[in-house]
């Protein structure tokens, strides 16, 4: 059967509007479509393919596990899940891990754990969740309501309650909401979907202090920032602040679906037997791949390489901007970068993305005004250079109109 873009409209629920490009294979940071047109991949899915496409270590982990055992259920323990959990505890502050299948599910678990902890330890009054405008935490009804864009949670009937939104990088707005009734503050240590917004160091430390003062848990959603994306294994490690609960997904599986919630023994103990669960959470295939991801990304050279690549991107984008004057700012950290369009080109991020695709370059947007780059953490340096040449051609097209 010939698969076409038209078939999407025929057989798919219309909640996405994919482009006409139909990629069929990838290798490293190059992807080819049905017509054998080649693309350089500055998107990596959406910050998912942290080691590019078909990385040999991941292919090996997947095929080896695929010959052994695919699925067991949580009625049994399994080797890959416990190996991965052990590894995550070694790499982070956490003592205990819960496995899910996506970022939203990891966040759902984090929020339910926080609510249960507050109920057990402090009582019913302590249920308020504070998060931030423009934040994104997933699409389950709880996580999307905690997320900072009402447009995503409106229109589905009554929402989960006692959720309030402060403004990112505005400590006073948190102070105005927080009280001893606050159960948890959830935030991204660098807002991704919201437009690549870095946190001020004082803000993050201030939120931690407010959480401590009011006995509220601090939950870091590291679904997009985690696993090397910002140049540290997890972004919190560069911020001088330790959360109580951390969630990871996207890059954790390098393209294989997995999510994880990380926390301390003291907090974890409130998710007692039977309080929460998932059929696929801890799936052996997913965990085997994720362990291989952590082995590769955990290499000092790979993390140092992220910072080196960030500089190449920044230099290249600044050079393009010096010539065409389209960006107000290049922002973000590591390989989670945003080129924010200036007033003249406001609202044209999607047009620029389309122009880039035309030139054989995959990138992303983060809102209407920001072009986002989240390539493989090990993207070859010459692919960055060549991709930026294509991006410059796209910018030139945009400027010409
Ligand atoms: C992508 C993302 C999510 C949602 O992850 P899914 O796997 O799509 O459920 C949650 N939080 C952040 C910060 C994300 O970037």
């Amino acid at each position: 059967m010939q698969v076409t873009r038209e078939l999407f409209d025929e057989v798919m629920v219309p909640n996405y509007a994919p482009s006409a490009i139909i990629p069929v294979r990838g290798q490293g940071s190059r992807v080819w479509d049905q017509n054998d047109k080649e693309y350089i991949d500055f998107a990596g899915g959406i910050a998912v393919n942290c080691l590019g496409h078909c990385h040999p270590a991941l292919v090996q982990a997947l095929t080896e596990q695929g010959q052994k055992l695919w699925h067991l259920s949580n009625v049994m323990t399994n080797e890959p899940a416990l190996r991965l959990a052990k590894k995550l505890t070694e790499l982070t502050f956490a003592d205990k891990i819960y496995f899910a299948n996506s970022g939203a599910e990891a966040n759902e678990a984090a929020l339910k754990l926080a609510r249960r902890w507050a109920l057990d330890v402090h009582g019913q009054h302590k249920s308020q969740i504070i998060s931030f405008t423009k934040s994104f935490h997933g699409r389950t009804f709880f996580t999307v309501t905690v997320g900072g864009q009402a447009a995503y949670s409106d229109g589905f009937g009554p929402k989960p309650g006692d959720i309030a939104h402060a403004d990112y990088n505005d400590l006073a707005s948190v102070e105005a909401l927080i009280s001893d009734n606050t159960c948890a503050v959830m935030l991204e240590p660098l807002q991704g979907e919201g437009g690549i917004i870095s946190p001020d160091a004082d803000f993050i430390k201030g939120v931690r202090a407010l959480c401590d003062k009011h006995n509220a848990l601090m939950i870091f959603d590291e679904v997009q920032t985690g696993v090397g994306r910002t140049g540290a294994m997890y972004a919190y490690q560069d911020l001088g602040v330790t959360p109580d609960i951390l969630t990871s997904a996207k890059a954790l599986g390098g393209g294989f679906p997995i999510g994880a919630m990380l926390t301390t023994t003291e907090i974890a103990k409130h998710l007692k037997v039977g309080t929460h669960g998932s059929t696929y959470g801890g799936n052996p295939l997913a965990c085997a791949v994720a362990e291989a991801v952590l082995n590769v990304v955990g290499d000092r050279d790979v993390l140092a390489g992220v910072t080196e690549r960030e500089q190449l991107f920044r230099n290249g984008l600044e050079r393009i901007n010096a010539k065409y004057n389209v960006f107000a700012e290049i922002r973000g950290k590591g390989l989670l970068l945003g080129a924010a369009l200036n007033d003249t080109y406001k609202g044209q991020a999607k047009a620029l993305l389309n122009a880039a695709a035309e030139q054989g370059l995959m990138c992303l947007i983060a809102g209407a005004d920001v072009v986002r780059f989240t390539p493989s953490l090990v993207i070859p340096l010459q692919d960055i250079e060549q991709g930026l040449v294509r991006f410059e051609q796209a910018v030139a097209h945009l400027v010409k109109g």
Side-chain angles (χ1 to χ4, degrees), residues 8 21 32 38 57 62 99 124-125 141 176 185 233 236 269 287 297-298 304 333 343 350 356 373 377:
F8 181 96
I21 303 162
W32 291 267
E38 182 221 70
L62 181 63
F99 288 122
Q124 227 163 15
H125 65 282
F141 207 14
V185 179
M233 186 49 98
Y236 84 88
K269 71 182 186 200
C287 292
V297 176
K333 188 166 183 209
D343 283 339
K350 190 68 193 282
F373 303 101
L377 307 181

Side-chain angles (χ1 to χ4, degrees), residues 24-338:
V24 291
R25 66 195 163 87
Q27 192 63 55
S29 285
R30 306 258 170 168
V31 173
W32 291 267
D33 73 7
Q34 281 180 334
N35 306 318
D36 224 28
K37 175 172 170 172
E38 182 221 70
Y39 297 84
I40 293 173
D41 187 0
F42 280 2
I46 301 180
V48 167
N49 301 313
C50 62
L51 296 172
H53 299 273
C54 301
H55 189 286
L58 307 198
V59 172
Q60 190 186 343
L62 181 63
T63 49
E64 267 179 18
Q65 188 59 40
Q67 307 278 355
K68 283 189 198 159
L69 190 66
W70 286 26
H71 180 75
L72 273 173
S73 89
N74 288 301
V75 173
M76 306 279 162
T77 53
N78 78 70
E79 290 181 357
L82 296 198
R83 272 198 221 107
L84 177 61
K86 179 78 181 159
K87 182 125 203 140
L88 284 166
T89 63
E90 285 164 3
L91 289 168
T92 66
F93 73 95
D95 319 305
K96 294 283 196 274
I97 313 296
Y98 167 83
F99 288 122
N101 311 290
S102 67
E105 278 182 50
N107 285 334
E108 183 83 18
L111 292 164
K112 284 180 72 179
L113 170 58
R115 281 272 179 86
R116 184 56 70 101
W117 164 86
L119 185 67
D120 287 352
V121 177
H122 296 278
Q124 227 163 15
H125 65 282
K126 200 172 178 67
S127 62
Q128 185 200 42
I129 310 274
I130 297 175
S131 63
F132 293 88
T133 51
K134 293 190 178 166
S135 69
F136 185 77
H137 299 298
R139 297 286 201 152
T140 65
F141 207 14
F142 198 174
T143 58
V144 81
T145 307
V146 170
Q149 283 190 272
Y152 290 167
S153 55
D154 288 345
F156 299 101
K159 298 181 187 185
D162 212 4
I163 296 163
H165 296 94
D167 292 321
Y168 203 72
N169 280 333
D170 178 356
L171 193 60
S173 73
V174 183
E175 215 161 357
L177 289 172
I178 202 166
S179 74
D180 289 349
N181 295 335
T182 305
C183 155
V185 179
M186 182 178 234
L187 72 167
E188 298 159 83
L190 187 163
Q191 284 193 329
E193 303 299 314
I196 314 294
I197 313 293
S198 291
D200 302 335
D202 290 350
F203 170 70
I204 293 284
K205 289 190 174 135
V207 171
R208 177 73 268 181
L210 285 173
C211 286
D212 292 343
K213 183 174 164 198
H214 295 283
N215 289 314
L217 300 181
M218 190 181 201
I219 306 174
F220 267 13
D221 177 347
E222 293 232 29
V223 170
Q224 190 151 168
T225 53
V227 191
R229 180 60 53 194
T230 66
M233 186 49 98
Y234 284 95
Y236 84 88
Q237 293 163 333
D238 274 346
L239 291 171
V241 153
T242 304
D244 300 296
I245 303 175
L246 180 151
T247 56
S248 187
K250 289 204 167 100
L252 181 59
F256 203 97
I258 183 169
M261 177 190 72
L262 289 63
T263 189
T264 63
T265 302
E266 205 41 42
I267 296 167
K269 71 182 186 200
H270 297 278
L271 277 192
K272 295 188 185 70
V273 172
T275 50
H276 193 56
S278 156
T279 295
Y280 283 115
N283 170 272
L285 293 169
C287 292
V289 173
E291 190 193 353
V293 168
L294 293 180
N295 283 337
V296 177
V297 176
D299 186 302
R300 214 177 283 266
D301 292 343
V302 170
L303 291 176
V306 170
T307 307
E308 181 190 359
R309 285 163 177 75
E310 171 184 5
Q311 210 47 56
L312 272 184
F313 265 95
R314 282 184 177 276
N315 294 347
L317 291 168
E318 296 290 0
R319 202 169 50 234
I320 292 168
N321 201 32
K323 201 158 153 191
Y324 294 96
N325 189 26
V326 285
F327 303 122
E329 187 187 16
I330 309 301
R331 62 198 189 206
K333 188 166 183 209
L335 289 173
L336 180 50
L337 293 171

Side-chain angles (χ1 to χ4, degrees), residues 21 25-33 37-45 53 313 353 356-364 373-376 379-391 393:
I21 303 162
R25 66 195 163 87
Q27 192 63 55
S29 285
R30 306 258 170 168
V31 173
W32 291 267
D33 73 7
K37 175 172 170 172
E38 182 221 70
Y39 297 84
I40 293 173
D41 187 0
F42 280 2
H53 299 273
F313 265 95
L353 172 143
E358 199 63 35
Q359 299 299 322
L361 178 71
M362 292 175 167
C363 48
L364 297 167
F373 303 101
T374 56
S376 157
I379 182 172
L381 304 185
Q382 58 272 29
D383 285 9
I384 298 178
E385 276 161 28
Q386 201 176 338
L388 285 169
V389 169
R390 295 180 189 185
F391 189 63
Q393 286 159 351

Side-chain angles (χ1 to χ4, degrees), residues 338-349:
L341 292 162
N342 63 23
D343 283 339
T344 314
Y345 296 95
K346 247 190 177 20
Q348 296 198 58

